[in-house]
Amino acid sequence: QVQLVESGGGLVQAGGSLRLSCAASGRFYSDYAVGWFRQAPGKEREFVAAVKWSGGTTYYADSVKGRFTISRDNAKIAVYLQMNSLKPEDTALYYCAAASARWGLTDNKKYDYWGQGTQVTVSS
C-alpha cells in the first residue's frame, strides 16, 4: 500500500502562483510514476501532469504547459506541482496519484493509489 497526502492548496487571484506538495509513504517503489489530476464541480477528473520516478520524465496536459512544473524530491519521497499564471479555469480539487504502470500516464485508470485532494480556487 502507498499513502499519499496532498497539501498547499488555497485561494489565489488570477495570475498568482501556488505550490502543491504530495508526500508519499508506504511501499513506494522507484519504478512508480506520480501524477496530478484535478476535478472541477460537474466535470470529469482530468490529467494535469505526471513524472516517472526513475529517470524523471515529465508529462503535461496542453492546458498547463508552460505554466505548471512537476518535480520530485527523492530524499523526501515527495512530488511538487508549481503552478504559475493561474487562471480561474484552474479552480478544482487537485489529486495526487501513484501508478505502477509505465505507459498511459494521462489516464486516471492507470493509477493505483490516490490522495484525498487539496482545493485550489483562483479568483478573477
Side-chain angles (χ1 to χ4, degrees), residues 11-19 66-68 82-91 120-124:
L11 173 64
V12 64
Q13 288 189 331
S17 299
L18 281 175
R19 186 191 192 215
R67 300 189 298 125
F68 291 11
Q82 177 66 43
M83 306 186 295
N84 298 328
S85 302
L86 283 161
K87 305 174 182 180
E89 50 263 43
D90 295 317
T91 295
V120 171
T121 303
V122 184
S123 63
S124 57

Side-chain angles (χ1 to χ4, degrees), residues 29-112:
Y29 297 105
S30 61
D31 59 351
Y32 276 16
V34 175
W36 286 96
F37 289 79
R38 66 187 182 187
Q39 188 166 19
K43 294 188 177 181
E44 293 187 352
R45 191 169 297 187
E46 65 172 356
F47 170 76
V48 176
V51 59
K52 287 187 174 181
W53 203 265
S54 178
T57 304
T58 57
Y59 307 85
Y60 294 95
D62 288 343
S63 58
V64 307
K65 276 182 184 175
R67 300 189 298 125
F68 291 11
T69 302
I70 189 170
S71 62
R72 74 198 193 291
D73 185 323
N74 289 337
K76 295 182 179 180
I77 315 181
V79 174
Y80 306 101
L81 186 68
Q82 177 66 43
M83 306 186 295
N84 298 328
S85 302
L86 283 161
K87 305 174 182 180
E89 50 263 43
D90 295 317
T91 295
L93 187 60
Y94 281 70
Y95 296 92
C96 171
S100 56
R102 298 191 176 190
W103 310 106
L105 295 176
T106 61
D107 183 354
N108 61 17
K109 298 182 185 66
K110 296 290 187 179
Y111 290 78
D112 307 294

